[in-house]
Amino acid sequence: MTRIVEVTLSSSAGKLDRLPEETLPEVAFAGRSNVGKSSLLNALCQRTGLFKVSQTPGRTRTIVHALARLDDGRRLYVVDLPGYGYAQVAKGAKRAWSELLDSYLRHRTALKACVVLVDIRRGPQDEEWQLLEFLAEQNKQAVLVATKADKVPKSQRKILLDKIVKETGRRVIATSAQTRDGMDDLLKFVASLAVHPAALTGEKGPASPF
Ligand SMILES: Nc1nc2c(ncn2[C@@H]2O[C@H](COP(=O)(O)OP(=O)(O)OP(=O)(O)O)[C@@H](O)[C@H]2O)c(=O)[nH]1
Ligand SMILES: [Mg+2]
């Protein structure tokens, strides 16, 4: 099983021109405020507190890039996005975030895939349908994740999950940042996007020591 062996924060950008150069593929975590994007990224990277988490929606206000290295040397950026859909945020700030989000999703060539998070108790709403459609139009991969699975009893979990699967016709990974449920499946998806740095330049990898 692939593992992430190192994660380093690269940038926290409020503007597209502050993002890292597009040298590696990236996978972004998208979903409404408070759905658990930053928590899931911490769980995935096995790093508490690397991505900032809060009970108050609207915690992540910038696009946060972290460089992840896998045990086989492949790399990619994992990206924490500001949440959308939170009513209590001031209008001006809300507009700025959604413009940032929109232009990132629209123009970032290095963005190969999105992990789209929905609360397992809530399922996809208008925004998620729009996002999934938008990603399909842009030829970006999308994987749907149902978060906070620990908040419902096991018997309920399957019913809720089946409902989302049926509604969307997609594969859905049920996750919990607390119990780490679903983390292996999510890691498999994320790892599938990583590349050897040498693959990018067409250079040969480092010479074998043997
Ligand atoms: N029980 C439980 N709580 C969770 C889980 N994931 C996140 N939370 C809680 O949900 C709240 C929001 O988590 P965040 O990770 O900050 O959510 P976010 O989607 O990054 O939110 P924004 O940055 O505001 O968009 C925090 O109080 C977390 O502790 C989970 O899997 N289980
Ligand atoms: Mg966040």
Side-chain angles (χ1 to χ4, degrees):
M1 178 77 202
T2 314
R3 280 185 319 119
I4 294 177
V5 289
E6 194 185 349
V7 194
T8 8
L9 281 187
S10 302
S11 63
S12 165
K15 285 185 172 177
L16 282 198
D17 59 10
R18 297 284 165 82
L19 297 179
E21 266 189 75
E22 303 196 56
T23 54
L24 283 172
E26 54 199 59
V27 54
F29 285 54
R32 65 186 58 243
S33 282
N34 213 44
V35 72
K37 300 174 291 297
S38 304
S39 303
L40 194 61
L41 273 160
N42 283 329
L44 184 77
C45 300
Q46 306 207 50
R47 292 279 301 271
T48 41
L50 185 67
F51 298 92
K52 298 288 171 277
V53 167
S54 165
Q55 287 179 2
T56 314
R59 178 64 184 87
T60 310
R61 297 169 180 216
T62 52
I63 296 177
V64 180
H65 275 66
L67 177 62
R69 183 165 62 84
L70 307 181
D71 52 358
D72 58 8
R74 288 179 302 134
R75 285 155 216 243
L76 84 165
Y77 282 114
V78 291
V79 181
D80 193 9
L81 295 175
Y84 52 73
Y86 183 56
Q88 304 309 313
V89 173
K91 256 198 191 147
K94 205 149 86 178
R95 194 172 320 117
W97 296 352
S98 70
E99 277 170 14
L100 179 66
L101 206 57
D102 187 80
S103 50
Y104 170 77
L105 293 172
R106 210 175 278 280
H107 302 300
R108 186 78 171 167
T109 314
L111 176 69
K112 299 301 175 206
C114 260
V115 177
V116 177
L117 287 75
V118 296
D119 189 307
I120 194 166
R121 299 161 295 182
R122 196 166 185 197
Q125 313 288 308
D126 286 353
E127 289 92 336
E128 284 76 38
W129 290 113
Q130 279 169 27
L131 179 57
L132 290 169
E133 195 182 309
F134 178 75
L135 292 168
E137 282 167 15
Q138 306 273 319
N139 285 322
K140 315 270 192 206
Q141 292 185 59
V143 67
L144 201 56
V145 157
T147 63
K148 308 193 185 182
D150 59 281
K151 293 241 187 195
V152 293
K154 273 235 164 87
S155 53
Q156 269 285 307
R157 208 177 291 179
K158 173 138 179 37
I159 295 168
L160 291 170
L161 198 66
D162 286 350
K163 188 165 166 254
I164 302 174
V165 169
K166 208 166 162 195
E167 249 183 330
T168 59
R170 288 171 170 270
R171 167 182 178 229
V172 183
I173 306 175
T175 63
S176 164
Q178 280 191 358
T179 64
R180 301 189 50 78
D181 267 28
M183 227 46 69
D184 287 353
D185 284 345
L186 183 58
L187 183 59
K188 224 177 263 172
F189 175 74
V190 167
S192 73
L193 303 159
V195 297
H196 284 288
L200 297 166
T201 54
E203 287 168 17
K204 282 196 171 155
S208 160
F210 302 108

